[in-house]
């Protein structure tokens, strides 16, 4: 693939996409549609809104966006590099992967562009790697996690994002009025 | 398909499933995995918990489950029957489709089994209809909504369920302690 990572698939169709093998193209449609709805859900949020905690146990919207980016990074390692995370990666990503109390303390004080840029960089790497693989790869078991196959892994990345987008919509509707 | 609607696909793999054409089988894997996580998220909730309103604008968990069942019904009409909802269907389903104030008033006072049985009946009908169709159908535009294709429509049914499951998890973690 040369530049099809920047091609936005028609958002209301799941079908093969030029530059990807057919089933990978359908998966890219799912990932891209999920992402478009996340972007719409956080459009124009301020830093204060991204940092807002609905209650003492809640994750901020900013922390959920940080989570979405590192989940994608962790599945890149698992499925494209066929390895578990290094201790260095675990240290860098674990707060955003686990969320909770450490997330409330650390994942804050950043503008929307910071989170979107991390998400977008992760996504570019995903699309580039998917474009270089085929449908046989997609169906194969993940070497270091043989109970799952690559297709489930990447569906799960979209699924986790959609789950948190549902929470983001709920939280955004309850942000303090400016 | 005879009895494969009762076959539970391996939950951590997306791949063809016996009794369905290959791409429809992968879609069934997505629908089934999404459903399994919803069922886990509401396991053993009491009627009081299903009716609980987190705040004045919140949908109850019960109402979200009612919504999941009628969304599936409405997409059956659209994609399997190639028509818009009748006025009778609109009247029966609109409260659960729209949620909000009417949903808070009407969608309550039912045990978990009530919601799960509606969801399960809708799903049986979906799987039966999908088993009778092929991958060409899945990619075709929906006759009465040509901007979408059938594959997107059924991905969207799973996606809407996952979105609300994210909210259900958030709400369940905040239910009043018994």
């Amino acid at each position: 693939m040369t530049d099809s990572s920047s091609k936005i698939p028609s958002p209301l169709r799941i079908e093969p996409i030029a530059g990807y093998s057919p089933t990978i193209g359908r998966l890219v449609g799912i990932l891209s549609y999920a992402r478009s709805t996340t972007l719409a859900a956080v459009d124009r949020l301020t830093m204060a809104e991204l940092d807002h905690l609905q209650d003492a146990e809640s994750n901020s919207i900013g922390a959920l966006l940080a989570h979405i980016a590192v989940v994608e990074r962790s599945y890149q390692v698992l499925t494209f590099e066929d390895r578990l995370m290094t201790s260095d990666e675990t240290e860098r990503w674990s707060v955003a992967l686990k969320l909770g109390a450490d997330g409330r303390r650390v994942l804050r004080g950043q503008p929307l562009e910071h989170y979107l840029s991390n998400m977008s960089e992760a996504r570019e790497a995903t699309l580039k790697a998917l474009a270089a693989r085929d449908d046989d790869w997609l169906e194969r078991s993940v070497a270091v996690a043989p109970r799952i196959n690559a297709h489930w892994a990447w569906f799960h990345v979209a699924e986790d994002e959609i789950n948190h987008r549902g929470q983001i919509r709920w939280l955004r509707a309850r942000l303090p009025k400016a």
Side-chain angles (χ1 to χ4, degrees), chain A:
Chain A
M1 190 180 76
T2 52
D3 62 348
S4 41
S5 69
S6 58
K7 188 191 170 220
I8 313 272
S10 168
L12 302 176
R13 305 186 74 85
I14 303 297
E15 59 195 355
I17 296 176
Y20 301 93
S21 65
T23 304
I24 289 183
R26 298 182 184 100
L27 168 69
V28 168
I30 286 176
L31 287 162
S32 302
Y33 179 79
R35 175 57 48 87
S36 71
T37 64
T38 304
L39 296 179
V42 299
D43 187 40
R44 287 177 293 175
L45 287 177
T46 65
M47 196 189 299
E49 291 171 328
L50 290 163
D51 286 350
H52 178 71
L53 297 172
Q54 172 71 16
D55 63 29
E57 302 296 318
S58 187
N59 298 304
S60 71
I61 294 176
L64 293 174
L65 293 177
H67 177 75
I68 287 169
V70 296
V71 165
E72 183 152 353
R73 288 291 183 196
S74 71
Y75 277 89
Q76 288 171 358
V77 166
L78 206 61
T79 67
F80 299 144
E81 302 185 32
D82 281 330
R83 59 174 180 83
L84 301 175
M85 292 190 292
T86 63
S87 56
D88 180 57
E89 287 162 346
T90 303
E91 191 173 318
R92 274 187 290 135
W93 297 341
S94 71
V95 169
L97 282 174
K98 293 179 184 168
L99 296 170
D102 284 345
R104 279 185 286 280
R105 191 170 48 77
V106 173
L107 302 170
R108 51 188 300 106
Q110 300 284 354
L112 182 58
E113 294 65 35
H114 165 83
Y115 300 107
L116 297 188
S117 151
N118 284 344
M119 289 161 64
S120 165
E121 275 176 37
R123 179 54 49 91
E124 286 285 321
T126 298
L127 295 182
K128 196 172 164 194
L130 288 176
R133 286 164 173 79
D134 64 18
D135 288 356
D136 285 342
W137 171 85
L138 191 65
E139 201 155 289
R140 223 171 288 152
S141 293
V142 173
V144 294
R147 287 179 62 222
I148 73 177
N149 70 355
H151 200 160
W152 183 86
W154 285 99
F155 157 67
H156 178 61
V157 170
E159 182 232 343
D160 194 66
E161 176 166 349
I162 295 161
N163 171 85
H164 292 303
R165 181 206 74 201
Q167 297 170 340
I168 288 170
R169 287 181 179 172
W170 201 95
L171 293 168
R172 180 172 191 155
R174 286 158 180 81
L175 286 173
K177 300 285 175 278

